[in-house]
Amino acid sequence: MDTTFEASWLVIALFVIDLVVRIAAVIIVPRNRRPTAAMAWLLAIYFIPFVGVFLFLLIGNPRLPRKRRRKQADINRYIHDTSESLEFGTLRPNAPDWFRALVRLNRNLGAMPIAGDNAATLIADYQESLDAMADAIRQAKRYVHVEFYILQTDASTDNFFRALEEVAERGVVVRVLLDHWANRGKPFYRQTLRRLDAMGAHWHLMLPVQPLRGRYQRPDLRNHRKLLVIDGAVAFMGSQNVTDSSYNLRKNIRRGLHWVDLMVRVEGPVVASVNAVFLSDWYSETDETLTDEIDLFSVESGPGDLDCQIVPSGPGFDFQNNLKLFLGLLFAARERIIIVSPYFVPDEALLLAITTACQRGVHVELFVSEEGDQAMVYHAQRSYYEALLTAGVKIWMYRKPFILHSKSLTIDDEVAVIGSSNMDMRSFGLNLEISMLVRGEEFAREMQRVEDVYRTLSRELTAEEWRRQPLRSTILDNLARLTSALQ
């Protein structure tokens, strides 16, 4: 009888705990969260309660710790106040009203000013980009700032590292930031750190997950930026990491996979904004301010005529700066939209903007990879193809064994964006990213030439082909779509 009594109380206790957890989840989970993300978390907690609650406690907070957010707010105020009274080159005339409004939005959210008189050159060849960065590093006289999501010394990047060693040897200050989680446990991680130490570089890990050292945040919040600044005069940014095009991973080498990327070399006043992003991240990781040593903003005119604005984004900001930038451009387009995004997992607003553009007669193309390197993202992305094809989007699939990793957006014939940000929920809410808005027909034409090359190396996905997808693929796609909203 005692055993039966105890078992009954145990059942009652478990029922009460389960009820309390469910009620608490309804109260806690939806707060300040998109409805789709809240619903995904509630489904996980309700159907797999122990796993769902554990995951929510582990990765349920999509924001950086409060201290980091305060740092970003301080940085934004400083940048905004410092640059408010300065003129950054001469802007191109006759900017449309929507473009000026978008620039104000970017300024209010990300603090960076728009700058004129810039030159920007695209580099679409993988090894050529690494060597171009190495050549620019060798011209350094004062400092080199390196910030990459993945940074590895290997045969492909040896010239890049040798350039750093050469300038460090003659007294140039080399500062390096690399993401902790993206690099730890990867090939050549220890060799890379030893090489940085040997050259005397000042290096730090970004967003380290080291709880025993008191450094911890949601483990899948990542600094996904890729940028290089030399003396505040030349900068590189884009989608490419400093590593071999196979990422030196056995699974990629076995499958013959190679990454295709796009970088841009910039000169002019906008370089100061790229450098400001680096200095912000340096301060966030080290508490060290470098504004006394390095001019935060340069107002010297560059060798070109492009209007450029840097848009930083990520969980340190109150709003999804990159998503708002993309939405503003998509709604402003009148003739043509070309999207290149290897990981395309849109939220409701982005999907609505794209389909609405099609419905008002805008020609829309999307470039993705035929092959997927991340199964969950690959299947989540595929779950949107039917809606896109039905709306009239032309989908180009870059042929395997290559992974199209470039990230860009061109609008009509005058405006483009290039940077590190994918059009997916991770890039909007969980990754620190950097994007550059560019106004200028010459840059748009250069971007279109790159897109033309991508088109020749891709095949079009048709609605007829998509309707022949097997049921098992549809099930996997839809399940992955649900999990993609867990933010």
Side-chain angles (χ1 to χ4, degrees), residues 81-101:
D81 294 344
T82 301
S83 61
E84 189 170 23
S85 61
L86 300 178
E87 296 291 336
F88 297 93
T90 303
L91 298 180
R92 300 168 75 100
N94 304 318
D97 291 340
W98 66 262
F99 183 82
R100 290 195 291 268

Side-chain angles (χ1 to χ4, degrees), residues 402-417:
F402 296 97
I403 301 293
L404 182 60
H405 194 243
S406 305
K407 303 117 179 8
S408 63
L409 171 66
T410 54
I411 300 296
D412 300 336
D413 294 318
E414 190 181 17
V415 178
V417 174

Side-chain angles (χ1 to χ4, degrees), residues 8-243:
S8 299
W9 274 108
L10 179 61
V11 171
I12 293 171
L14 290 174
F15 173 79
V16 171
I17 292 172
D18 180 71
L19 183 63
V20 169
V21 168
R22 291 172 187 267
I23 294 173
V26 172
I27 297 171
I28 296 170
V29 171
R31 186 175 182 181
N32 298 322
R33 200 181 299 270
R34 292 196 307 272
T36 50
M39 185 59 68
W41 276 117
L42 289 174
L43 288 172
I45 292 170
Y46 276 35
F47 285 100
I48 45 172
F50 294 107
V51 176
V53 170
F54 172 76
L55 289 175
F56 184 77
L57 294 175
L58 181 67
I59 63 172
N61 182 6
R63 307 183 71 184
L64 287 169
R66 187 176 290 108
K67 181 180 178 182
R68 293 282 300 237
R69 298 200 305 271
R70 281 200 301 265
K71 283 184 176 182
Q72 187 65 62
D74 292 342
I75 292 164
N76 289 350
R77 281 193 296 271
Y78 179 83
I79 291 172
H80 195 281
D81 294 344
T82 301
S83 61
E84 189 170 23
S85 61
L86 300 178
E87 296 291 336
F88 297 93
T90 303
L91 298 180
R92 300 168 75 100
N94 304 318
D97 291 340
W98 66 262
F99 183 82
R100 290 195 291 268
L102 188 62
V103 166
R104 284 196 301 273
L105 173 69
N106 296 334
R107 172 75 152 152
N108 291 336
L109 298 182
M112 300 297 179
I114 190 168
D117 299 331
N118 299 286
T121 304
L122 293 174
I123 309 174
D125 181 83
Y126 198 98
Q127 189 61 49
E128 181 183 338
S129 172
L130 292 170
D131 292 338
M133 288 189 284
D135 291 342
I137 289 169
R138 290 188 170 93
Q139 305 305 312
K141 295 180 174 59
R142 294 188 294 147
Y143 64 83
V144 176
H145 290 163
V146 179
E147 178 175 342
F148 283 87
Y149 179 60
I150 295 176
L151 184 75
Q152 294 182 343
T153 175
D154 57 37
S156 299
T157 66
D158 182 64
N159 186 31
F160 182 97
F161 277 86
R162 281 191 287 109
L164 292 177
E165 290 164 342
E166 291 168 17
V167 298
E169 187 176 6
R170 65 170 192 263
V172 173
V173 177
V174 176
R175 297 184 178 92
V176 178
L177 292 171
L178 64 157
D179 188 83
H180 176 220
W181 198 262
N183 288 278
R184 64 183 293 276
K186 296 288 174 53
F188 309 117
Y189 175 54
R190 295 298 175 188
Q191 295 93 317
T192 300
L193 299 187
R194 285 197 294 268
R195 192 165 184 179
L196 291 174
D197 282 332
M199 74 175 70
H202 307 274
W203 63 268
H204 291 274
L205 299 172
M206 297 186 291
L207 297 179
V209 182
Q210 298 169 318
L212 297 181
R213 300 183 184 182
R215 295 187 288 184
Y216 182 80
Q217 64 279 318
R218 175 172 168 168
D220 61 340
L221 298 181
R222 305 273 40 96
N223 193 321
H224 193 241
R225 294 167 178 158
K226 294 101 174 167
L227 61 92
L228 170 69
V229 182
I230 298 98
D231 292 342
V234 177
F236 292 78
M237 56 172 290
S239 67
Q240 185 174 335
N241 291 294
V242 177
T243 182

Side-chain angles (χ1 to χ4, degrees), residues 24 51 72 96 106 133 162 177 214 252 262 272 274 278 290 296 299 311 313 317 325 348 358 392 475-476:
V51 176
Q72 187 65 62
N106 296 334
M133 288 189 284
R162 281 191 287 109
L177 292 171
N252 294 342
L262 185 63
V274 181
F278 175 89
L290 302 173
L296 187 57
V299 295
V311 181
S313 59
F317 293 88
L325 167 64
E348 299 94 328
C358 290
I475 294 172
L476 286 173

